Amino acid sequence: MSAGTRKIDVIVTDVVPVNELVKRFHFQRTDGQLLPTFSGGAHVVVEMRDDDRTRLNPYSLMSSPLDTRDYTISVRRDDTGRGGSLFMHQRVNPGMRMVISSPVNLFSLDLRARKHLMIAGGIGITPFMAQTSQLAGDAGNFELHYTCRTETLATYADVLKGRYGRRIHLYRDDQGERLPLEQLLASQPLGTHLYICGPAGMIEWVRRTAAEAGWPDDTVHFEHFAAPQPGKPFDVTLAISGKQIRVSEQQSLLEAIEAAGIDPPYLCRGGVCGQCETKVISYDGNFLHNDHWLSEEEHQSGRKIMPCVSRFEGKSLVLER
Amino acid sequence: MGINFRKETFRDDFSFRNSPEQIRRFPFPFHEDSYMYAVNIEPHTPGPKNTVFEHLIDVDEHYISEMEDRALVLAEDPLRCQSLPHMTLAGWDLLELLMTQKAESYPEHFSLTRDGDNWHWINRPLGIDDRFTFGDVSTLPYGPMAYITRQSQGDFCVLDQRDGNLWMDAGIVTTQADWSLDFDIGMNFFEWHAPVPLAHDMGIFNRALKFLTNIQQGQPARRFNWTMTINPRLDTSPENYHKWGVDRTTVTPENVGQKVHLRVELQTFWRLPRSNALVFPIRCYLIKMDELVTSPKWARRFHRVLRDLPNELAEYKGLTRYRQTVVEWLSQYDDGAPTSSGFGPD
Ligand code: FES
């Protein structure tokens, strides 16, 4: 059976500029029903139909899981990306009909935790918006540490402070404020779980510091969506379906496979869930692996690729698809 | 038209029977004349009328009696129902799933009225009429999982998903073929599968785990399993082996028709929305050989399947002691005629 997610028809009910880089989008079901219940940390995949092509980008749900009249996501404009965020910023207006997937959670709270310690960087704040709503509704014990470039880019810091007061700690780069990570990790009660969402460098830093401080792996959770990167076009042969495709500069390999009328499985489209894993039959060239799913050895082996985020440069690539 | 609930027992005098209508909707698990072990999972979508798939959560004529049997098992052994503290939210998810499905599919028997968190649940067959606050454990007589699964046929395993693995952290198991919740509680996917023989290939487990951890909200899946049970006993747990193990030695050519049952387990797999946990309801359907052979096709086919079953599988399913007797008994219904493909009785 296809692992693709179930689609939901929605209407954009509001688009709210939050600051110079971030816009918030509100969706309701076109049939007026409630949206599916979800758990904090879940994402939906938003379909963007842009004239001749379809992009599918994952965004964390930031609205409260306790209220499913609407879903909200926040999108940070990325002027150098492949255009998904620009499409959202420039083309999506209230009243527009769109299609999103059912929610999928790859960044779930560990409900055994006695305390949830959350560390957010930049737009990585969004899954924590939903998680804190969920925990607060259940009298959960949490604390959020949020790093941002400037006060005005501290998206939703005001909202969070208004809701949770001293449980929210803000660190502004331009004010020279630094997250006292080592101290923070050293002073947590037994049974604390750590959650990280933000830029790759930050995730790495926090994970490394936690590992050095002796935190067991199963208490450290992180959301590590890699946005597919643009790159040089390349050609691929799909052996099972007998098709030749070209992946254009702004397209991901997964999108190019889909554009050829094939429906491969996916969940995250960000290189973390493992669902799109594809066998390489033969190749002559170099892989540009961008996923967080395959191991280092698998990357070296040239036998597998995650088409949602990874690319290829070279003469030929034949995939089992 | 409502369901005609039967009054019957699954112990002592074993008065369990299937009505002719129930026989025709039995989920016969063999679509051809032989059986190969395979993990065949398919989407769990509503199926044709008068099959056990008509509704995603099936309620049948044995409902009230099965619930009475469950209450007896729990009274004797409360550890058959356990939920680790972090699984309460999953319990509420399960309660919502079962109440909404039942009320939607069987409005003449169940009704649910929701006003925000104030819920009103009526279960007419069991004479229950309760108002409670969703999310507030103190407003129910049991925890949410125990409350709703005392009103739902089948066993339920509730699995927490973390660290890329699944953990059997809650469940109610009173009708299970030969495994123990109390033994498996808190174990992960690999630990609780440890005793399975034939599938020792880790690759199978890795693929199954990957499939299960990717089960999505709103897209349940299902698979079948089958074995045989002597006497219509629901509770064939390891805890009670001393009660039922000896049954296997009591099969004679004279009593096959009444004593020997094909036991089909319908396992479904669901993602729970608030907790991100998974629930696997495992529903058990029993049919006597006398009832099975009322379908000439099923009689022929089951004869062939059982006759040709590899020994190691027969051993694994615990059929060895009486298989030959049953095969001989069934052979009188197999004239060698071809059978039509598919599961149906005709
Ligand atoms: S879709 Fe999740 S790793 Fe590619």
Side-chain angles (χ1 to χ4, degrees):
Chain A
M1 67 190 276
S2 163
T5 56
R6 212 167 48 152
K7 313 272 187 220
I8 308 172
D9 292 313
V10 293
I11 184 156
V12 179
T13 51
D14 207 358
V15 178
V16 184
V18 182
N19 55 40
E20 54 195 275
L21 286 179
V22 176
K23 275 189 178 179
R24 182 171 72 239
F25 300 85
H26 293 242
F27 304 109
Q28 287 182 14
R29 275 172 74 138
T30 38
D31 61 11
Q33 302 279 306
L34 290 180
L35 285 152
T37 309
F38 65 98
S39 48
H43 72 268
V44 293
V45 172
V46 178
E47 292 191 15
M48 301 172 216
R49 304 226 172 98
D50 188 359
D51 306 323
D52 55 334
R53 55 178 296 203
T54 303
R55 282 193 202 81
L56 298 160
N57 280 12
Y59 293 104
S60 295
L61 289 173
M62 55 167 289
S63 41
S64 168
L66 309 177
D67 177 3
T68 54
R69 269 169 308 183
D70 69 357
Y71 280 173
T72 63
I73 61 169
S74 284
V75 179
R76 183 184 192 278
R77 200 180 72 226
D78 177 1
D79 295 316
T80 61
R82 299 171 321 120
S85 69
L86 289 176
F87 177 90
M88 291 301 292
H89 272 250
Q90 292 163 0
R91 305 274 295 271
V92 174
N93 293 306
M96 189 163 146
R97 285 169 184 254
M98 296 186 84
V99 174
I100 63 174
S101 72
S102 272
V104 175
N105 199 341
L106 301 171
F107 186 49
S108 192
L109 290 167
D110 191 322
L111 296 175
R112 295 171 310 165
R114 301 235 182 88
K115 175 179 173 184
H116 306 270
L117 177 64
M118 302 167 169
I119 298 187
I123 195 66
I125 193 66
T126 53
F128 294 126
M129 299 291 289
Q131 290 186 335
T132 50
S133 297
Q134 177 178 340
L135 288 172
D138 210 21
N141 181 8
F142 66 88
E143 190 177 301
L144 173 73
H145 295 258
Y146 180 13
T147 66
C148 58
R149 298 219 307 263
T150 67
E151 176 86 42
T152 49
L153 288 177
T155 316
Y156 303 120
D158 49 343
V159 178
L160 287 164
K161 285 212 155 168
R163 282 184 197 159
Y164 310 119
R166 295 195 317 170
R167 293 204 252 183
I168 308 297
H169 304 255
L170 187 64
Y171 308 92
R172 294 158 299 190
D173 280 354
D174 68 337
Q175 305 288 309
E177 294 164 348
R178 290 286 174 269
L179 169 67
L181 184 61
E182 274 158 38
Q183 241 168 289
L184 188 66
L185 294 180
S187 60
Q188 296 305 315
L190 208 66
T192 303
H193 279 244
L194 178 63
Y195 303 83
I196 321 152
C197 185
M202 188 190 90
I203 295 179
E204 206 150 294
W205 170 57
V206 179
R207 287 181 65 201
R208 195 179 349 105
T209 314
E212 282 162 9
W215 285 61
D217 273 356
D218 64 357
T219 62
V220 180
H221 314 268
F222 50 95
E223 173 109 299
H224 213 246
F225 278 163
Q229 297 302 312
K232 292 200 200 102
F234 58 102
D235 294 317
V236 183
T237 305
L238 305 176
I240 295 179
S241 40
K243 293 195 176 170
Q244 299 277 343
I245 59 168
R246 160 149 283 220
V247 185
S248 71
E249 205 173 317
Q250 296 296 331
Q251 222 175 9
S252 72
L253 171 53
L254 180 61
E255 287 167 351
I257 295 173
E258 288 167 339
I262 297 161
D263 189 16
Y266 68 83
L267 279 183
C268 70
R269 306 184 79 92
V272 298
C273 74
Q275 197 55 228
C276 70
E277 185 176 299
T278 305
K279 286 209 181 96
V280 174
I281 294 177
S282 67
Y283 69 103
D284 178 0
N286 295 315
F287 291 98
L288 306 169
H289 290 294
N290 292 315
D291 64 276
H292 306 285
W293 171 258
L294 299 175
S295 65
E296 193 55 42
E297 299 85 78
E298 284 171 314
H299 282 162
Q300 301 297 337
S301 75
R303 292 214 195 101
K304 286 175 182 169
I305 185 168
M306 308 305 288
C308 61
V309 289
S310 297
R311 303 183 73 88
F312 181 79
E313 274 176 359
K315 282 206 200 103
S316 75
L317 173 62
V318 183
L319 298 179
E320 190 184 287
R321 188 57 87 193
Chain B
M1 195 197 70
I3 302 165
N4 216 341
F5 297 106
R6 292 179 47 86
K7 239 359 236 156
E8 60 198 359
T9 56
F10 302 88
R11 54 181 70 211
D12 307 327
D13 63 342
F14 295 114
S15 63
F16 165 88
R17 302 272 175 288
N18 287 299
S19 69
E21 301 75 52
Q22 180 73 5
I23 293 174
R24 293 196 62 82
R25 74 197 290 283
F26 185 79
F28 187 72
F30 310 106
H31 67 284
E32 54 186 19
D33 288 354
S34 64
Y35 172 74
M36 262 296 297
Y37 179 82
V39 189
N40 32 9
I41 301 181
E42 56 182 355
H44 185 45
T45 48
K49 254 188 123 39
N50 301 322
T51 67
V52 301
F53 309 126
E54 180 176 348
H55 302 296
L56 293 182
I57 298 290
D58 181 43
V59 176
D60 67 19
E61 64 183 18
H62 307 298
Y63 176 63
I64 295 177
S65 299
E66 283 190 28
M67 293 302 94
E68 283 168 359
D69 194 71
R70 162 157 295 164
L72 291 175
V73 174
L74 289 172
E76 258 175 42
D77 185 359
L79 293 181
R80 302 294 193 88
C81 177
Q82 299 191 39
S83 175
L84 298 182
H86 63 282
M87 298 304 279
T88 307
L89 186 62
W92 287 109
D93 274 331
L94 180 59
L95 175 139
E96 178 185 46
L97 172 72
L98 293 175
M99 284 188 180
T100 52
Q101 289 290 333
K102 285 195 163 95
E104 219 172 88
S105 305
Y106 306 95
E108 65 278 45
H109 299 305
F110 304 96
S111 97
L112 176 67
T113 321
R114 294 192 269 188
D115 171 17
D117 288 341
N118 297 317
W119 291 30
H120 181 195
W121 167 245
I122 301 175
N123 177 336
R124 292 183 194 89
L126 297 185
I128 292 169
D129 183 328
D130 282 339
R131 293 170 195 275
F132 60 94
T133 307
F134 186 85
D136 181 350
V137 180
S138 69
T139 60
L140 285 177
Y142 307 99
M145 179 192 73
Y147 177 77
I148 195 58
T149 56
R150 281 171 174 266
Q151 304 178 42
S152 300
Q153 287 167 279
D155 288 340
F156 292 82
C157 301
V158 189
L159 295 100
D160 196 18
Q161 179 166 337
R162 28 174 228 272
D163 318 324
N165 211 328
L166 297 173
W167 305 78
M168 178 93 68
D169 285 350
I172 184 164
V173 176
T174 65
T175 65
Q176 191 54 267
D178 211 0
W179 68 278
S180 161
L181 174 71
D182 193 34
F183 184 71
D184 285 356
I185 191 104
M187 284 190 182
N188 73 32
F189 186 75
F190 294 104
E191 293 164 344
W192 89 68
H193 276 107
V196 178
L198 289 178
H200 33 56
D201 173 12
M202 275 313 258
I204 295 183
F205 284 119
N206 277 320
R207 277 196 300 279
L209 178 63
K210 187 167 161 190
F211 173 84
L212 294 171
T213 52
N214 280 316
I215 295 260
Q216 317 244 334
Q217 226 170 294
Q219 288 187 299
R222 68 174 172 238
R223 67 172 291 229
F224 284 103
N225 204 352
W226 69 275
T227 182
M228 293 172 78
T229 301
I230 305 309
N231 293 328
R233 195 187 285 279
L234 285 176
D235 179 21
T236 54
S237 58
E239 289 91 335
N240 267 343
Y241 183 78
H242 62 284
K243 291 190 191 153
W244 59 267
V246 44
D247 288 357
R248 296 174 178 184
T249 63
T250 62
V251 179
T252 65
E254 292 68 43
N255 65 20
V256 166
Q258 283 299 309
K259 239 188 203 297
V260 178
H261 294 73
L262 173 61
R263 178 187 192 112
V264 172
E265 288 174 359
L266 168 60
Q267 311 180 343
T268 55
F269 310 102
W270 307 70
R271 172 74 59 195
L272 296 174
R274 293 173 184 77
S275 55
N276 204 40
L278 287 168
V279 63
F280 300 172
I282 304 160
R283 190 50 201 283
C284 162
Y285 296 89
L286 292 168
I287 191 169
K288 289 177 195 305
M289 288 301 106
D290 273 347
E291 293 168 345
L292 185 99
V293 300
T294 60
S295 156
K297 169 180 163 184
W298 286 354
R300 285 189 199 107
R301 178 164 294 167
F302 190 49
H303 170 244
R304 296 166 196 180
V305 166
L306 197 61
R307 180 191 64 201
D308 303 339
L309 193 71
N311 281 335
E312 65 224 293
L313 263 172
E315 183 67 42
Y316 172 53
K317 290 179 184 287
L319 319 180
T320 311
R321 287 201 80 126
Y322 52 84
R323 166 154 74 147
Q324 204 42 43
T325 312
V326 180
V327 169
E328 271 158 31
W329 185 87
L330 282 168
S331 69
Q332 60 182 313
Y333 298 95
D334 189 355
D335 53 9
T339 52
S340 59
S341 67
F343 302 95
D346 304 310

